Amino acid sequence: MTAALQTRCQPRPFLKWAGGKGRLLEQYRRYFPAQFRRYHEPFLGGGAIFFHLQQFCDQAVLADLNEELVNVYRCVQADVEALIDLLQRHQAAHCREYYYAMRSQNQLRSPLPRAARLIYLNKTCFNGLYRENRQGHFNVPMGRYKNPKICDAVTLRQAAIALQNTEIVCDRFTQVLDQATTAQDFVYFDPPYHPISATSSFTGYNRYGFRAEDQQRLQQTFATLAERGIQVMLSNSDCEFIRDLYAGFHIQEIQASRAINSNAQRRGKISELVITSYPAHPQ
C-alpha cells in the first residue's frame, strides 16, 4: 500500500470534542446501514462518525450551527497547508499568557486565523471542552497540559483528503429535510444530549443551547425522514423523556464513558441510546 493510499484510508478527528464518538465506533458498527450513497451529519462536532464512514459513501453533507466550527472544517478542506503553518506558530508561542491573549481575540475576521485560533484553544483548553458564553465568546480556562500537540499535521492532512467530496454548511438540523430525499441517504444525528438529572444541565456548546422543545423538534425531523424511507440513526441519553419520544422506533442501549465531570469519581460507564429507523444488523 502506498503512503498516499495509507493517508487516504486513515482519517480521524482533528479536534477534541465533548461527546465525541471515536471510542464508541465498535459498538456502533452493527447500527450503521448496510448500504448508502450519501451521508448527512447535522450535528458535526468532532466528526468521528463521518471520518469512519466517509470511505463507504459517494458524498456527504456536514452541518453545524456553530459558525466557528464550520469555518474550521472549511479551512481544513480548502487550505490545510496554510492552516498548518499558522498552527506551528501557535505551537511555538504557547504559554499561559499567550493562551489568554488568544482567547480574548473574539473579533478575528479572516477565516484561516479564526480556524487556527479555535484549534489552538481546543488543544490547550481544559478537557478540550468547547463552550461559549451568551455573547458567543469562547470562555473555557486553560488546561494543565505539559506539552499539548497543537499542530498535528498528519491528522489534518488526512482530514483534508476525507473532506474533499463534502458540502459543509452552517445551519440548523432541520435543513436536512431539504437535503436527504432518497432511500440511499443516511442521516446521523448526534445532538446535545438531554439531561438525565437536574444537575446534568450541559445541553449545548454554544450560546443557543438545546432545550426539550428542540429535542421534540428533532424527533419530528427524525420521524419525517423515516416516513420518506430514509435511513436515520440518532444518539442520545438514556432517559424516560427520550425513550418516550422515540417509542415505535428501534431503541438500543450501549455503554459509553462519561468524561465531562469535574469530579473524577463520577466519570465512568453510563448507558446511552442508539435509535434507528431500521433494524440493527444481527450480531
Side-chain angles (χ1 to χ4, degrees), residues 13-15 17 44-48 50-51 62 64 68-78 83 115 159-160 163 166 168:
F14 56 86
L15 293 171
W17 207 257
L44 180 53
F50 161 72
F51 286 119
L62 309 176
D64 204 283
E68 294 304 312
L69 180 66
V70 169
N71 176 66
V72 168
Y73 277 93
R74 287 173 173 170
C75 287
V76 171
Q77 180 190 57
L83 183 59
L163 289 165
T166 65
I168 307 170

Side-chain angles (χ1 to χ4, degrees), residues 33 61 155 210 273:
V61 180
T155 297
F210 207 79
L273 299 181

